[in-house]
Amino acid sequence: MAKIDTDVGQLVDMISRGELRLPELQRRYVWPATRVRDLLDSLYRGYPSGTILVWDSQQDVPTKDLAVDQAKGAFVPKLLLDGQQRLTSLAAVTRGQPIKLKNRVRPIDIAFNIDHPEGPPTDVIEVEGDEPTAADDMDGDEGDEAAGEPNLQERLRKRTFVVANSSLLADSRWIRVTDIFGDKTDWDLLKPLVESPGDPKYDIYSKRLQRVRGIKKYPYVMHVLERDLSYEEVAEIFVRVNSLGMKLRGSDLALAQITARWQNSLQLFEEFAEECEKYWFTFDLGVLVRALVVFATRQSRFRTVGSIPQDNLSDAWEKAKQGIRFAINFLRSNAGIEDESLLSSPLLAIPIAVFAVLRDHHLTQVEERDLLHWLFLANAKGHFSGSSETVLDNDLSILFKGGSPADLLSALEQQVGRLKFEAGDFRGRSWRHPLFPVTYLALKSSGAKDWRSGLTLSLNHQGKTHSVEYHHIFPKSLLRTAGFDAGEINEIANMAFVSGSMNRAISNKAPNEYLPGIIQGRGEDALRGQRVPLDASLWKIEDYRAFLEYRRAELATLLNDFVDGIAADRTPPIDVATLIGDGESARIEFKSAARYNQHTGSVDKRIESAIVKSVTGFMNAEGGILL
C-alpha cells in the first residue's frame, strides 16, 4: 500500500478537478455544521485529524460525486474510502460553496473569532449519538432563549470558531471563514477593528488570519490501495477500517457490503428515500437497509448481510418497499403522524411494514385498530429506546410466527409494565422524551389550536409564521432567575404548541402577563385546548410547581383518553358541515358524536350545540323521539 504526503489544499484541488470521487458503497455527507466547526478548530491548532484512504482503481465500478461541485475529469479518478466528511467540509468552506444534498443546497457558515483568547480550547467537544431525537424538527423558544442567555455572548467570545448567525456576524470581531479564504485582503477584513495597518493589533490579527489560511497547508497522509484489488475486497477493507474506529454505524457498514455484492443498488435505495420524502417522511438510508435485511433474513441484525445472495437482496427490497409504503400511508392517514419527527424511533415503521406484507395488505378492522393502538403506545413508551435490535427482533419473531398486533400489545405490556399513563410519568420529562411527540398528537387530536391564528395544530402549515413550535408556558429565563433547575424548567408539562409568530410575540413574558390576553382574544377554550389551567393563581412564578402538578395530571388524562379512544374504535370528530342535509343524517351524526364523547370526552361544545339544534329541528318536524 503506497503512502503519499499531501495537504488540504491539494486534496481540495483534486476534488474540484474530479480526480477524487466516491465509490457507491460510501454513505452520503452527514456532518452537521458543529462538526465542521470542530474540525476547523483542530486543524487551526495543528491537532491530529486522521489519514485519508483512497483506492487507485482502474476498474469500471459505480461511483458518485462528493456533495460539492466537481468537474468531470478526463482520467479515471481515485476513489475516496476514508475522509469523505472531512474533505467535503473543507472543500465547501475553503471554496465558499454550499453542500449539495439531493435537490437542495445547505451552506456551511462558520465564523472565526479574530479576538479569541490564546491557549487551549475552553469548551469540551460534545459527542452526539447515532439516533435522531423525536421532534428534532419542531423549533423551540427562540425569543425566550435569546432573552434568557445573558452570558451567551461572553461564552462565545471564549471560542475560536462557531456556527455563524446574523446577530453574531454583526460584531466585526467575528469573520466568516469563507471570507478569509476568499479574495478579501487582511485590511478589508480588519479595517472595522483597527484604525490603520500600523495599529499594534493589526499585526496580531493579521497573523491569525494567515493561520486560518494555513489550514490549506495542513498535512495529511494519503494511503493508496493497489489497483488489482477486487471491489468486494475493497468493500471488506472499508468495513474493517471503519469498524475499528467506530466511525460508521452498523447500517453504514451493512450498506457497504450490500452495494459491493449488488452494484448500483445504492441508486435504488436513494431513489426510494426521495419517494418517501415526497410524502414528508425522511427515512435515513440506515432504516431502509434495516427493512431490507428484515425481509431478507426475518431478523434485524446485520451480522450475516455480507453473505445474502444478490437475488435474495433484490426480492427482499421489493417487499421492503411495499411494506414501507404501507407504513407511511398508515402513519399519515390512520395515525395522523405527519412526518418522522413525531416518532420516538423510525424503527416503529418496520413492524407495521412487515405485518402489512405478511397480510398482503388485507387487514381486518380489529387488526387495523390494534396496530394503531400498539403504535401510539409503543411510540409514547419509547419502545425502541433501549436495546433496539433485541426489541425489534422480538416483535419480528411474533409477526413472522403468525402473531397479530394484539400479540405485539401483549409483548409491549410485558416490556414496559403498564400501558396506562400517570401524572408521575411526566415528571422531569423534556421534549427529548418519547412522551413529547405523543402529547402533541393527543392535543392535536383533541382540537388544540394556535393561540394567535386559531389554526388547528399541524406540522404542515405553510410559512414560518404558522409553523408549529413548542413554547415554554413559563419562560426559561424567568424560571432560572427564580432558582428552578433545568429538569423542572424543560418539562413537557411546561410546554404548549403554538405558531412561530405567537412564540416570538410572547417572548419571555410571564404567564400572568400574556394568558389574560389570549383568553380575551380567543376565549377560555384556547387554554382548555392546550390543557392549561384557567385558575390565574397557577400562572404565578411562585406557584410554578403547583402548575406542573396540575398539568401533569391533565396530560396523563389526555393521553389515556386518546389511547383508550383508539382501543374503543373511536369515531373521528364531527364536522359541522356534515349536518347540512336531511334530519336522518343529523340523527346519525349526533349518535356518532355521543359515542365519540363517551370515549374521549373531547367533542367541541360548540359543535355539540350545533348538532343538538339540528336534531331538535328534526324532532319538531317529525314528532319523533331523539335517540
Side-chain angles (χ1 to χ4, degrees):
M1 182 169 61
K3 182 177 72 173
I4 299 174
D5 291 326
T6 183
D7 60 37
V8 167
Q10 293 180 61
L11 291 166
V12 167
D13 287 343
M14 289 178 69
I15 291 171
S16 180
R17 294 191 297 266
E19 296 174 16
L20 267 184
R21 293 192 186 278
L22 299 174
E24 185 186 31
L25 55 77
Q26 270 280 25
R27 62 175 172 171
R28 62 184 175 86
Y29 181 83
V30 297
W31 268 17
T34 51
R35 294 291 298 273
V36 183
R37 172 202 67 194
D38 296 339
L39 174 65
L40 290 173
D41 191 82
S42 291
L43 302 190
Y44 180 76
R45 299 173 187 278
Y47 291 172
S49 69
T51 59
I52 306 298
L53 178 64
V54 302
W55 180 29
D56 188 11
S57 171
Q58 297 297 309
Q59 301 178 32
D60 184 16
V61 297
T63 64
K64 58 183 182 179
D65 288 348
L66 282 79
V68 289
D69 288 336
Q70 292 191 267
K72 299 298 181 184
F75 302 99
V76 178
K78 290 181 173 64
L79 301 181
L80 183 59
L81 298 174
D82 189 23
Q84 179 206 169
Q85 307 295 323
R86 286 169 288 161
L87 295 187
T88 302
S89 302
L90 291 169
V93 170
T94 59
R95 290 160 53 188
Q97 294 181 343
I99 296 294
K100 298 187 297 182
L101 299 172
K102 297 180 182 177
N103 298 321
R104 59 189 176 91
V105 295
R106 173 167 66 86
I108 297 180
D109 203 1
I110 308 297
F112 172 68
N113 181 7
I114 195 68
D115 207 27
H116 69 78
E118 292 289 356
T122 57
D123 285 341
V124 176
I125 297 298
E126 296 178 358
V127 179
E128 299 177 356
D130 287 338
E131 293 296 325
T133 306
D136 277 345
D137 292 339
M138 202 180 291
D139 296 324
D141 305 275
E142 295 175 358
D144 181 31
E145 185 64 36
E149 291 286 356
N151 298 321
L152 178 60
Q153 293 295 331
E154 181 181 339
R155 289 193 288 109
L156 290 178
R157 281 196 290 271
K158 296 178 182 179
R159 296 182 178 179
T160 304
F161 294 90
V162 300
V163 179
N165 59 50
S166 56
S167 60
L168 197 71
L169 292 171
D171 185 339
S172 55
R173 288 172 294 187
W174 291 99
I175 302 174
R176 276 193 170 93
V177 172
T178 53
D179 289 344
I180 299 174
F181 285 108
D183 297 330
K184 293 185 178 181
T185 65
D186 288 2
W187 176 242
D188 291 333
L189 299 170
L190 299 176
K191 60 185 177 183
L193 291 168
V194 296
E195 295 181 358
S196 71
D199 190 310
K201 283 193 173 182
Y202 182 86
D203 185 54
I204 296 173
Y205 292 161
S206 181
K207 287 179 179 178
R208 289 182 174 180
L209 293 176
Q210 293 305 317
R211 190 173 162 191
V212 174
R213 296 187 184 107
I215 287 175
K216 295 182 73 171
K217 295 297 182 183
Y218 181 92
Y220 269 119
V221 173
M222 181 167 64
H223 296 289
V224 185
L225 297 179
E226 292 82 1
R227 294 182 177 182
D228 58 357
L229 293 174
S230 69
Y231 190 41
E232 287 194 7
E233 189 172 1
V234 169
E236 179 64 20
I237 293 171
F238 173 81
V239 169
R240 292 191 181 197
V241 166
N242 286 287
S243 294
L244 289 173
M246 296 302 290
K247 297 174 186 176
L248 297 184
R249 299 168 301 171
S251 57
D252 294 315
L253 302 178
L255 181 61
Q257 292 178 316
I258 290 170
T259 54
R261 300 176 66 83
W262 182 15
Q263 293 189 17
N264 297 309
S265 59
L266 181 62
Q267 182 178 350
L268 300 178
F269 304 150
E270 291 179 337
E271 286 174 353
F272 184 67
E274 290 179 6
E275 176 189 320
C276 296
E277 200 164 337
K278 289 179 182 177
Y279 296 94
W280 296 91
F281 270 79
T282 303
F283 283 133
D284 183 88
L285 283 184
V287 176
L288 302 183
V289 170
R290 181 87 66 181
L292 165 61
V293 170
V294 164
F295 281 100
T297 65
R298 295 192 165 205
Q299 56 85 52
S300 68
R301 299 175 192 270
F302 297 127
R303 288 190 298 258
T304 61
V305 71
S307 61
I308 303 174
Q310 179 180 329
D311 288 346
N312 290 14
L313 289 171
S314 179
D315 291 343
W317 176 237
E318 290 304 314
K319 291 179 181 178
K321 287 193 297 181
Q322 293 174 22
I324 293 296
R325 285 182 181 126
F326 177 90
I328 290 176
N329 291 332
F330 187 84
L331 290 167
R332 286 181 56 81
S333 301
N334 293 48
I337 294 176
E338 297 159 301
D339 64 38
E340 76 289 343
S341 69
L342 294 174
L343 296 174
S344 57
S345 169
L347 295 180
L348 287 162
I350 292 181
I352 298 172
V354 168
F355 186 72
V357 171
L358 291 176
R359 287 290 192 274
D360 194 24
H361 309 293
H362 289 203
L363 276 68
T364 68
Q365 184 179 29
V366 171
E367 289 171 339
E368 179 269 329
R369 180 198 66 197
D370 288 346
L371 191 60
L372 193 63
H373 192 192
W374 171 85
L375 169 64
F376 282 120
L377 284 170
N379 197 18
K381 297 291 185 177
H383 186 45
F384 295 113
S385 59
S387 302
S388 58
E389 287 182 337
T390 300
V391 174
L392 179 55
D393 280 347
N394 186 51
D395 290 343
L396 295 174
S397 177
I398 290 171
L399 296 177
F400 281 118
K401 289 178 180 178
S404 67
D407 297 318
L408 292 180
L409 274 167
S410 297
L412 177 65
E413 187 170 15
Q414 290 180 4
Q415 176 197 3
V416 300
R418 60 177 164 81
L419 299 182
K420 287 289 185 179
F421 299 96
E422 298 176 354
D425 295 338
F426 287 87
R427 188 180 303 277
R429 305 302 192 188
S430 73
W431 63 272
R432 294 182 179 276
H433 194 272
L435 280 171
F436 178 75
V438 182
T439 299
Y440 165 82
L441 290 168
L443 286 169
K444 174 187 172 186
S445 178
S446 69
K449 297 179 179 180
D450 174 42
W451 286 340
R452 185 181 189 126
S453 65
L455 289 173
T456 301
L457 299 182
S458 173
L459 298 188
N460 293 335
H461 286 324
Q462 187 172 351
K464 188 169 178 60
T465 298
H466 303 297
S467 63
V468 174
E469 298 180 358
Y470 61 88
H471 158 71
H472 284 70
I473 300 168
F474 281 75
K476 291 179 285 185
S477 56
L478 300 183
L479 292 175
R480 273 193 292 261
T481 301
F484 292 95
D485 62 40
E488 292 177 296
I489 293 171
N490 293 311
E491 272 200 28
I492 297 171
N494 187 30
M495 293 178 187
F497 298 94
V498 300
S499 64
S501 59
M502 186 67 196
N503 198 9
R504 288 183 285 277
I506 295 173
S507 186
N508 67 330
K509 297 183 181 71
N512 56 2
E513 293 181 39
Y514 70 86
L515 289 180
I518 292 172
I519 292 175
Q520 183 178 3
R522 300 285 314 161
E524 292 182 346
D525 283 348
L527 299 193
R528 288 194 189 99
Q530 300 261 6
R531 301 307 189 267
V532 174
L534 295 174
D535 183 354
S537 69
L538 297 178
W539 301 346
K540 300 175 183 178
I541 295 290
E542 57 267 28
D543 292 313
Y544 176 61
R545 289 194 174 97
F547 167 85
L548 288 180
E549 290 292 342
Y550 172 92
R551 201 153 184 268
R552 287 173 192 146
E554 284 290 306
L555 293 179
T557 300
L558 170 73
L559 261 61
N560 285 324
D561 288 346
F562 177 57
V563 174
D564 289 347
I566 296 166
D569 192 20
R570 66 189 174 106
T571 303
I574 304 305
D575 185 344
V576 176
T578 63
L579 296 176
I580 300 174
D582 60 23
E584 181 60 27
S585 66
R587 180 201 297 268
I588 294 170
E589 294 296 348
F590 183 81
K591 288 181 178 179
S592 297
R595 185 166 65 253
Y596 182 76
N597 190 43
Q598 179 182 1
H599 293 326
T600 68
S602 301
V603 169
D604 189 302
K605 296 300 182 184
R606 290 167 295 177
I607 294 178
E608 187 173 316
S609 174
I611 296 172
V612 170
K613 289 179 181 177
S614 296
V615 176
T616 301
F618 167 72
M619 289 173 59
N620 292 338
E622 301 293 331
I625 299 175
L626 179 57
L627 294 176

